[in-house]
Amino acid sequence: MLKLTGVNVDLAGNRILRDIHCNFVAGSTVGIVGRNGAGKTTLLRSIMGLVKLRSGEIMLDDVNLAALPGHARAGLQIGYSPEDRVIFPTMSVEENLRLPCASLKQSRQAIDQRLEVVIEAVPDLKPLLKRSGSALSGGQGKMVALGRALMVGTRLLLLDEPYQGLAPKLGLIYTQALGRLKTMQPDLCVVITESNIKLLGDIPDRIWSIERGSIELQKTL
Ligand SMILES: Nc1ncnc2c1ncn2[C@@H]1O[C@H](COP(=O)(O)OP(=O)(O)OP(=O)(O)O)[C@@H](O)[C@H]1O
Ligand SMILES: [Mg+2]
C-alpha cells in the first residue's frame, strides 16, 4: 500500500534519512521506534510532503507521492497527527475537526457523516466539541489531533508520538479508540512513531526500528 524505496533526506546539509526501504500494508498497524533525533518525525514529514526528498520514491499504491505537492496529498486520504498537535486556539474543537475536510471542499453532508464516524471511534471528543481549542489539556489536545487526522485519514493514518506525555488513563482511551477504528475500518493502515517501545504495548503488528536515519524491520508480531 505505502512503499518507500531508497529515500534520502538532507536537512541543513546533513543526511537525516538514509536509504530508507520499507513497506506498510493496508490493514496493518505499524510501529516506528527510535530514540530522540533518530528521524521519526522527518520520515512522517517526508510522507506528508513537508520536506523535500534528496532522492527516492514514496508510492501510495500506484501514485508517487514524491512527485506531488504537499497540499495535493490531503485528497489522498492520508491523516497526520504531528507531535506538536497544532490545534487552532481561536476555533472550537468541532471547527478544528471540520477544517481539513472543509479545506478539501467536501460537502457539508459528507463532513457531518464523517464527524459522526470519528466520534463513534473517539467518543471522548463529544463533550469537547463546543470547547475552544485554547481550553484543552495536553492529553485532550492529543485526542483532538487524532480526531482531526481521522477526518481525512480514511486510508492511512500517521501518528507522531501520540503516547508521549499522555497520562496512563488517557493512553488507554487512545489505544481503545485505535482498536475501535480498526474494527470500523479494517483496511486502514496506521503508522505510530514512539521512542519508548513499551508505550506501544501490543498495538502494532509490525515494528520497524529507526536509528540515525536508517530503518530496519525489527519484528513482526
Ligand atoms: N529543520 C531541520 N534542520 C536541520 N536539522 C533538522 C531539522 N529537523 C530535524 N533535524 C535533525 O534531524 C534529525 C532527526 O530529527 P527528527 O525530528 O526527525 O527526529 P525524531 O526521531 O522525530 O526525534 P524526537 O524523538 O526528538 O521527536 C535530528 O538530528 C534533528 O536535529
Ligand atoms: Mg519527532
Side-chain angles (χ1 to χ4, degrees):
M1 182 221 195
L2 183 74
K3 188 173 181 199
L4 283 74
T5 311
V7 169
N8 286 285
V9 169
D10 292 348
L11 295 176
N14 297 311
R15 179 65 40 97
I16 305 296
L17 295 182
R18 300 165 197 272
D19 197 27
I20 301 271
H21 290 262
C22 59
N23 185 10
F24 307 143
V25 183
S28 64
T29 303
V30 182
I32 297 181
V33 177
R35 64 186 71 181
N36 292 353
K40 303 178 295 294
T41 297
T42 307
L43 181 64
L44 298 191
R45 288 174 58 82
S46 304
I47 297 168
M48 290 307 294
L50 299 171
V51 294
K52 195 170 168 289
L53 306 192
R54 181 182 173 91
S55 58
E57 223 176 44
I58 302 181
M59 299 295 294
L60 181 69
D61 293 329
D62 48 6
V63 177
N64 182 11
L65 296 184
L68 288 181
H71 63 83
R73 298 174 200 215
L76 294 169
Q77 301 161 275
I78 306 175
Y80 174 44
S81 171
E83 61 188 335
D84 49 5
R85 302 195 307 273
V86 216
I87 304 301
F88 294 105
T90 55
M91 296 166 81
S92 70
V93 166
E94 182 168 345
E95 287 166 338
N96 268 280
L97 292 173
R98 288 177 178 272
L99 187 65
C101 296
S103 52
L104 285 172
K105 306 221 176 339
Q106 291 180 3
S107 71
R108 174 93 198 182
Q109 192 191 14
I111 302 174
D112 288 350
Q113 278 172 0
R114 185 65 195 160
L115 188 59
E116 259 179 49
V117 172
V118 168
I119 286 170
E120 192 183 332
V122 195
D124 289 72
L125 287 176
K126 196 164 187 179
L128 299 178
L129 287 177
K130 300 296 168 217
R131 195 175 290 190
S132 157
S134 63
L136 300 173
S137 69
Q140 288 168 336
K142 293 226 171 196
M143 303 307 285
V144 176
L146 170 65
R148 192 174 54 185
L150 275 176
M151 288 296 288
V152 288
T154 47
R155 202 168 169 198
L156 175 64
L157 197 58
L158 306 173
L159 308 174
D160 200 359
E161 300 208 46
Y163 291 98
Q164 269 320 307
L166 211 54
K169 195 173 154 214
L170 268 179
L172 189 62
I173 290 174
Y174 199 99
T175 301
Q176 287 165 344
L178 292 180
R180 267 192 297 276
L181 199 62
K182 292 306 270 204
T183 316
M184 292 163 66
Q185 282 183 237
D187 288 339
L188 180 71
C189 175
V190 181
V191 177
I192 312 176
T193 69
E194 195 43 73
S195 46
N196 178 359
I197 191 169
K198 286 187 192 142
L199 291 177
L200 291 179
D202 58 1
I203 303 170
D205 28 56
R206 262 175 186 226
I207 291 185
W208 293 80
S209 67
I210 183 164
E211 201 177 322
R212 274 184 273 152
S214 298
I215 198 166
E216 64 178 51
L217 187 59
Q218 191 180 336
K219 77 175 157 183
T220 308
L221 302 168

